[in-house]
Amino acid sequence: MAAQHDIECDLLVVGGGINGVGIARDAAGRGLCVVLCEKDDLAAHTSSASSKLIHGGLRYLEYYEFALVRKALIEREVLLRSAPHIMRPLRFVMPHRAGLRPTWMIRAGLYLYDVLARREILPGSQGVNLRCHPAGRPLKPEFKKGFVYSDGWVDDARLVVLNAMDACRKGAAIRTRTACTGLRREGGAWIATLQGLDGAVQTVKARCVVNAAGPWTMDLLGMALPGRDVRPLRLVKGSHIVVPKLFEHDHAYIFQHPDGRIVFSIPYEHDYTLIGTTDLDYQGDPGKVAIDDAEVAYLCRLAGEYFAQTIVPSDVVWSYSGVRPLLEDPQRSAKALTRDYKFSVDDDGAPLVNIFGGKITTFRKLAEEAVDLVCKALGSPKPHWTEKACLPGGDLFGDTPQNCAVLRYGDWEQKIKHQYAWLPPALAARYCRAYGTRIHTLLGGCTSLAGLGGEFAPGLHMAEIAYLRRYEWAMTAQDILWRRSKLGLHTPADTAARLDAWLVDNPLGTPGAVSAPASA
């Protein structure tokens, strides 16, 4: 197919995970002309397969990664301020297990965790008597003492989407379902060939390229610079399981294991508990990663060593796996690999910036440093800005991020529920958490439940489907039910098939497409 008219830009970002969209947002906000392409959906892979935590990485202290932990602890509160609707503080309980880390070591680690970076939002750690604390009730009776510390929870896939939305709002072109199939230097620029889902081909001329392809970073690097034998990445598989709710309180758990790994047990979607993760070297296609029976059994067994309730594989209602592209270190096991990041810049012609490693908590800092490199390479330094900016929907109490936003989230939610008193409380609460102040755009002046266009499935109204298609690049049932929301856990089993069929029959922009089908 003949190529369409070329696009010229300052920066082409390849990869629509958290690092790619963070870089696109930062660069667009500094005035660069940005194009981002992603071969699948936003957050389709690693960035929607995390443990859903904004955390410093307590266990990294054992590997003397003090700089990484400090950086992550600082970013933890920056992020909580920027998007208080999709993030929240979360207290973790670590039951002390005899024969593993001694109490003095845990106390020392938690003290460092508390003081390595300034805390303005989250409370510090403390010892706890599990015989008296609500978190002790679901545990086996031998766990009598433990420790409590703070981190944060995040809707990881929505974090990616919000960064893409902000990048778009600042002028970036976000192209999902668009693969970079060719990349070469020519005449002092990069010429990239982009192919859409329909097979249409477009060429982009870019002054600079950022390779943020995650598990596919080395593939893109090989395309751009053939013959380079550099393998700084090691792919590590992390899997999680979701089971019916194991406890009623709002704390999470961090469980130790004799093999040195840790597993989280986290309240999830009101009715469930999320358990993970595993750390296994991975050799296959990152796009086809899936949990295996041994991982399910491992997570059930480890959780069952702590909880009084027996947990078996048949309890699992959902699972997911992701491939983390971590910095290679042949001397370390998968669980011990650093979660830090590094860059390589090839400036033998138009610059190519490659991103290696990273974690969700430090994505904003990674993006800031990457765009510094881009601006330097292009000879146009621009000031930082993202640390003092809210993400879309996060401006609950004004345009400037504030500590009080995440601490007073409940007050804001009650105000919204009063404003839209016709919304069922559970639906209003979900809209507030997912969309923040963009709930007003979603509801679009509706004054009754009927104005939402009907209910496609329990909790999923046609107005939300229309919003996600128009503003958030949602194209499939998987996008809507599992990445933009977790309604897949709460709707009938046939919802995805029906929704996919409806989306095909009602292309975006079809008149009347916001009305629910008769069979809904």
Side-chain angles (χ1 to χ4, degrees), residues 48 52 153 155-158 268-269 272 318 320 430 480-491:
S48 61
K52 325 297 180 192
W153 181 92
D155 186 326
D156 51 6
R158 291 209 58 76
Y268 195 63
E269 287 292 308
Y272 300 97
W318 183 52
Y320 61 88
R430 185 173 73 78
I480 292 170
L481 298 176
W482 292 106
R483 283 186 284 275
R484 306 306 184 275
S485 74
K486 293 298 179 286
L487 287 171
L489 280 170
H490 307 286
T491 51

Side-chain angles (χ1 to χ4, degrees), residues 376-428:
K376 180 180 178 181
L378 297 181
S380 55
K382 302 287 178 63
H384 300 162
W385 66 277
T386 57
E387 184 179 0
K388 302 296 184 183
C390 293
L391 283 162
D395 52 341
L396 308 187
F397 298 98
D399 295 336
T400 304
Q402 302 173 35
N403 293 337
C404 70
V406 72
L407 299 176
R408 293 180 51 209
Y409 173 83
D411 296 338
W412 175 84
E413 183 183 288
Q414 288 304 312
K415 175 184 174 183
I416 295 299
K417 286 181 175 179
H418 179 75
Q419 182 176 350
Y420 297 102
W422 51 270
L423 272 176
L427 186 62

Side-chain angles (χ1 to χ4, degrees), residues 57-132:
L58 178 62
R59 70 186 180 97
Y60 306 150
L61 292 174
E62 287 190 308
Y63 303 108
Y64 307 107
E65 297 213 45
F66 303 119
L68 170 61
V69 174
R70 174 175 165 77
K71 178 165 52 181
L73 290 173
I74 292 170
E75 286 300 299
R76 184 180 63 177
E77 298 212 352
V78 172
L79 297 184
L80 284 168
R81 285 190 287 266
S82 71
H85 54 313
I86 63 164
M87 305 185 195
R88 63 176 182 268
L90 185 60
R91 293 288 271 175
F92 283 80
V93 176
M94 178 189 289
H96 180 253
R97 183 169 178 173
L100 299 183
R101 297 168 180 87
T103 55
W104 69 262
M105 181 182 292
I106 297 174
R107 287 194 186 99
L110 290 174
Y111 173 77
L112 276 175
Y113 206 63
D114 285 342
V115 303
L116 271 175
R118 180 180 177 185
R119 287 179 293 105
E120 296 181 333
I121 297 174
L122 300 176
S125 61
Q126 63 185 64
V128 62
N129 183 347
L130 293 176
R131 290 173 295 185
C132 305

Side-chain angles (χ1 to χ4, degrees), residues 162-175:
L162 295 188
N163 274 271
M165 291 174 67
D166 210 21
C168 186
R169 187 164 63 181
K170 290 173 169 57
I174 307 296
R175 305 294 176 87

Side-chain angles (χ1 to χ4, degrees), residues 38 59 91 120 143 147 150 173 200 239 311 370 452 462 478 496 501:
E38 160 56 48
R59 70 186 180 97
R91 293 288 271 175
E120 296 181 333
F143 297 106
F147 302 87
S150 293
S239 298
I311 303 161
L452 297 181
M462 301 308 297
Q478 185 80 8

